[in-house]
Amino acid sequence: QVQLQESGPGLVKPSQTLSLTCTVSGGSITTSYYAWSWIRQPPGKGLEWMGVIVYDGTTYYSPSLKSRTSISRDTFKNQLSLQLSSVTPEDTAVYYCVRDLRWRTWSYDYWGQGTQVTVSS
């Protein structure tokens, strides 16, 4: 049983960098051919895919967010990280880390519980 748990501050000020961590247990983030994505859901809107780090460490980002988004990992701690710079109130959302069966399949078999992040002064 794979479990994912997001953590990080729930409140971020505009122009700052949002930083979240996803701790994975029950499975290695380096195992072929899984991919690990960050997605978010703003209030009243649908899910938005932000980016992914594939099992081999390759990263890909949504075109609308790639200039501000950085996804990384710590293989020793089995953790994923998300950084979103220059945040605005429009970045307020519930943020999830998820496991994809394979890159570009968008078949998420495991989800974190999600963490609410509010961008406000």
Side-chain angles (χ1 to χ4, degrees), residues 84-116:
L84 182 66
S85 65
S86 303
V87 298
T88 72
E90 292 186 345
D91 293 311
T92 294
V94 178
Y95 286 76
Y96 301 91
C97 57
V98 300
R99 189 178 80 167
D100 199 336
L101 291 176
R102 189 165 183 165
W103 177 49
R104 295 189 296 180
T105 66
W106 297 277
S107 300
Y108 306 129
D109 58 347
Y110 290 98
W111 293 61
Q113 81 283 359
T115 185
Q116 172 71 47

Side-chain angles (χ1 to χ4, degrees), residues 9-117:
L11 182 64
V12 184
K13 294 182 178 180
S15 80
Q16 293 186 333
T17 296
L18 183 161
S19 297
L20 297 175
T21 298
C22 175
T23 300
V24 179
S25 61
S28 173
I29 60 176
T30 63
T31 297
S32 306
Y33 295 94
Y34 297 119
W36 307 84
S37 291
W38 288 94
I39 61 175
R40 67 180 183 179
Q41 186 170 33
K45 298 182 179 180
L47 295 171
E48 179 184 19
W49 180 81
M50 301 182 67
V52 61
I53 185 163
V54 185
Y55 69 96
D56 63 357
T58 307
T59 55
Y60 303 90
Y61 302 102
S62 169
S64 64
L65 296 170
K66 62 182 179 181
S67 65
R68 299 193 293 132
T69 306
S70 179
I71 296 174
S72 59
R73 67 183 184 178
D74 185 330
T75 58
F76 181 78
K77 296 181 178 180
N78 212 41
Q79 291 180 329
L80 315 168
S81 296
L82 170 71
Q83 291 190 314
L84 182 66
S85 65
S86 303
V87 298
T88 72
E90 292 186 345
D91 293 311
T92 294
V94 178
Y95 286 76
Y96 301 91
C97 57
V98 300
R99 189 178 80 167
D100 199 336
L101 291 176
R102 189 165 183 165
W103 177 49
R104 295 189 296 180
T105 66
W106 297 277
S107 300
Y108 306 129
D109 58 347
Y110 290 98
W111 293 61
Q113 81 283 359
T115 185
Q116 172 71 47
V117 178

